[in-house]
Amino acid sequence: MTVIEDRITMAEESDELSLDVMFEWLEKMPVPEGTKVEIVGGNIFMSPQRQHHWEIISAIFEQLRDKYPRKRLASDVRIDFPGHLNGFACDMAAMADRSVKDSKGRWRYQDVEFVAEVISKDTAANDYGPKKLAYATAEVPVYLIADPYKGRCYLYTHPKEGDYVTRTKVDFGDDIDLTGTVVGLALKTDEFPRD
C-alpha cells in the first residue's frame, strides 16, 4: 500500500475524508503535465488529454465566447458537485451571469448553466453515468457529451429529479441547437475531429 492509499484508508476510517483532503494529497503527487485529474464518487481518475480531445474543447470554448465572457468559462477547473466526493474538472463549464465564487475561490455548482464533456475511452463510463447523474442532480440546465469515437454529440436538457428529461443526438457536422436553452446559441460541430 502506498503512503497516499494508507492516508486515504485512515481518513475513511475516521470519517475525515473530504474532497479538500484528497485534492491536497493529489497536489503533492508527481502528476504528469497535461493530465486531467478529478474525483468521481470518491474515486480518483487521471487521464492525459489527447489532441482530438483538446480540439473539440477549444471549438466549444471559442463558440461559447459569443455569449460568455472569458471570466465565466472554465476548463479542467475543480467544481464540487452533489453526491459522494464529486470534485469534477469539467472539460468546459459556463457560469451564469449572477455567479460568485465560494470562500475558497471556487465556482459553485449552483451557478453552472452549461457543461460539456469530451469522451475519453478510459473515463467514458463516468461521463455517461455518475457525472451525468451529478449534473442532473445539480440541475445544470444543459449537459453536452461530445463523443469523437462515435462522431456524435448527446445533448441533455431539462433536469428533473436527478435525471435529464430530454436527450438529443446530433452527428458531428450538424449544428447543436441551444437557442431554446439558457445558452441561447447554436454550436457548430463541423470541425469536431473523430478519433
Side-chain angles (χ1 to χ4, degrees):
M1 189 180 295
T2 68
V3 171
I4 290 193
E5 289 171 330
D6 187 45
R7 287 184 181 165
I8 289 174
T9 301
M10 288 171 44
E12 285 175 335
E13 290 170 357
S14 68
D15 291 330
E16 292 179 24
L17 188 60
S18 70
L19 285 171
D20 288 341
V21 169
M22 293 177 78
F23 277 108
E24 182 181 318
W25 293 333
L26 286 168
E27 288 173 7
K28 295 177 183 174
M29 290 179 60
V31 176
E33 189 73 30
T35 300
K36 177 178 176 173
V37 178
E38 60 186 349
I39 300 171
V40 180
N43 298 302
I44 299 168
F45 291 89
M46 296 184 203
S47 55
Q49 189 176 84
R50 299 176 56 148
Q51 183 64 31
H52 288 103
H53 196 97
W54 167 244
E55 288 175 24
I56 294 171
I57 294 168
S58 177
I60 293 169
F61 171 79
E62 290 169 0
Q63 294 177 72
L64 288 176
R65 289 282 291 124
D66 287 343
K67 172 167 181 179
Y68 295 93
R70 186 176 292 115
K71 67 181 180 179
R72 288 191 8 237
L73 294 171
S75 179
D76 289 342
V77 173
R78 174 184 167 188
I79 302 172
D80 297 346
F81 282 90
H84 176 68
L85 298 175
N86 284 326
F88 301 160
C90 312
D91 287 328
M92 181 58 53
M95 312 311 158
D97 191 34
R98 68 181 187 288
S99 301
V100 293
K101 292 183 180 176
D102 67 16
S103 62
K104 295 179 181 179
R106 292 191 203 113
W107 291 112
R108 301 171 336 119
Y109 74 84
Q110 295 92 334
D111 295 332
V112 177
E113 56 185 29
F114 171 86
V115 169
E117 297 286 5
V118 181
I119 296 299
S120 296
K121 285 183 181 177
D122 294 338
T123 59
N126 287 338
D127 296 330
Y128 285 112
K131 290 176 83 174
K132 181 175 144 268
L133 173 67
Y135 295 143
T137 301
E139 298 185 350
V140 173
V142 181
Y143 175 40
L144 178 69
I145 293 177
D147 191 331
Y149 305 102
K150 294 180 180 177
R152 179 175 292 150
C153 291
Y154 296 92
L155 175 64
Y156 297 92
T157 57
H158 304 97
K160 184 178 180 180
E161 298 175 9
D163 200 0
Y164 283 98
V165 174
T166 307
R167 181 184 97 151
T168 306
K169 291 190 279 186
V170 179
D171 290 329
F172 283 13
D174 296 334
D175 291 353
I176 302 168
D177 184 7
L178 301 175
T179 55
T181 72
V182 293
V183 178
L185 51 84
L187 292 177
K188 299 198 174 300
T189 67
D190 54 334
E191 294 184 6
F192 286 12
R194 292 175 180 257
D195 199 347

